[in-house]
Amino acid sequence: MKDKVDPSLLHIFNQLPGCWGCKDKDSVFVYANAEYGEIIGVDHHLDCIGRTDFDMPSPTVECAESFRDQDSLVMTSGKRLRVLDIHPYSDGSWRAHLFTKTPWKNEENETVGTIFSGVELKDTAILEVGHWICRAAGINPKEQASFNLDLHHQAINLNTRESEVLFLLLYGKKPQYIAKVLGVSVKTVENYVIRLREKFNASSKNELLDLALDLGFGSHIPESMLNRQLSVILKE
């Protein structure tokens, strides 16, 4: 499998920052760089070759099925995906990454797998993803937002669960999905949406999202979400 990736390109690519690699049509790793190998917990990054996400020595195996579904979507649609991933890794630390997954094509322009690349979101990271969040919510952004792990200057105070529900709403997620992620009933999620509308003085859910984005909530990951595994597709 190692010879599937041009060795002359690896020397260049391995100097790039962030995590990256590629998988075949069955979501089997064909290559992963050193940074990805380190966070996933293998002894050497080439040990990823021949494995799937189900075989990695990392708690991320909990989301392996989601990763495989994302790979399948990339290959069948022929389009790239951007994914927000929040997981504990092999060293026990929780990290948030922004991953891009792209169809991997051969010289005949046939899709032979997927290519992934990711950058870790840290407190100091300024990543322009506000427009993806806005598009996921079906809203045209007035300006792009920066992406931070925490935000303390909001004019509207939300409790932990309200912040989590709003966070997922801004990513275009349905109440059924939110209920599953948070481990509550759909009715409970709907009640939180009503409370959020009251706090933002919004007459509809769309107005709630619009107001929340204007106030900067579109660039906020609640701290409580950083200890719950999550793999969220950002719709472009």
Side-chain angles (χ1 to χ4, degrees):
M1 282 190 173
K2 295 180 184 179
D3 58 3
K4 288 187 179 182
V5 182
D6 188 345
S8 65
L9 297 177
L10 291 181
H11 178 68
I12 297 173
F13 292 156
N14 282 334
Q15 298 178 60
L16 298 174
C19 306
W20 72 271
C22 49
K23 305 176 188 176
D24 66 16
K25 283 187 173 182
D26 297 317
S27 288
V28 176
F29 282 80
V30 175
Y31 189 80
N33 73 340
E35 185 168 332
Y36 185 81
E38 181 179 353
I39 67 168
I40 211 68
V42 292
D43 293 332
H44 190 280
H45 65 102
L46 295 182
D47 292 339
C48 290
I49 297 174
R51 299 189 186 191
T52 70
D53 290 297
F54 290 93
D55 306 319
M56 294 301 180
S58 168
T60 54
V61 296
E62 183 177 315
C63 292
E65 187 171 350
S66 294
F67 300 155
R68 185 178 58 187
D69 291 343
Q70 292 163 8
D71 293 341
S72 178
L73 181 57
V74 168
M75 289 184 286
T76 56
S77 69
K79 298 179 180 179
R80 71 179 182 181
L81 287 181
R82 295 193 190 275
V83 181
L84 173 65
D85 275 300
I86 301 175
H87 308 284
Y89 287 89
S90 58
D91 62 359
S93 65
W94 284 80
R95 300 177 184 175
H97 285 84
L98 182 66
F99 275 97
T100 300
K101 300 186 177 184
T102 307
W104 176 17
K105 298 190 176 183
N106 61 18
E107 294 179 353
E108 288 73 37
N109 203 36
E110 300 169 331
T111 299
V112 296
T114 57
I115 300 171
F116 66 88
S117 60
V119 61
E120 185 175 357
L121 302 179
K122 300 180 180 179
D123 291 333
T124 57
I126 302 298
L127 300 177
E128 299 298 330
V129 299
H131 61 299
W132 300 326
I133 300 173
C134 294
R135 285 180 179 273
I139 299 170
N140 292 321
K142 296 179 180 178
E143 59 183 25
Q144 289 188 339
S146 298
F147 203 73
N148 304 304
L149 293 187
D150 196 14
L151 210 58
H152 299 288
H153 58 276
Q154 300 296 350
I156 297 176
N157 293 318
L158 304 181
N159 62 33
T160 297
R161 188 48 56 88
E162 290 168 345
S163 295
E164 293 170 345
V165 171
L166 182 58
F167 168 78
L168 292 169
L169 283 174
L170 289 172
Y171 278 91
K173 298 306 175 184
K174 304 293 185 183
Q176 293 80 359
Y177 177 92
I178 298 173
K180 181 179 179 181
V181 169
L182 300 182
V184 298
S185 68
V186 174
K187 181 64 175 177
T188 297
V189 173
E190 292 172 345
N191 288 337
Y192 275 111
V193 174
I194 292 173
R195 288 169 55 178
L196 286 166
R197 285 176 52 186
E198 291 173 349
K199 285 196 172 185
F200 283 83
N201 194 26
S203 59
S204 66
K205 188 175 78 171
N206 284 342
E207 185 178 4
L208 164 65
L209 300 178
D210 198 357
L211 290 170
L213 288 167
D214 284 345
L215 289 171
F217 284 91
S219 58
H220 170 49
I221 304 178
E223 287 187 9
S224 59
M225 298 298 291
L226 295 176
N227 59 13
R228 179 183 290 112
Q229 292 217 54
L230 194 66
S231 189
V232 179
I233 295 174
L234 309 181
K235 298 179 182 179
E236 296 190 67

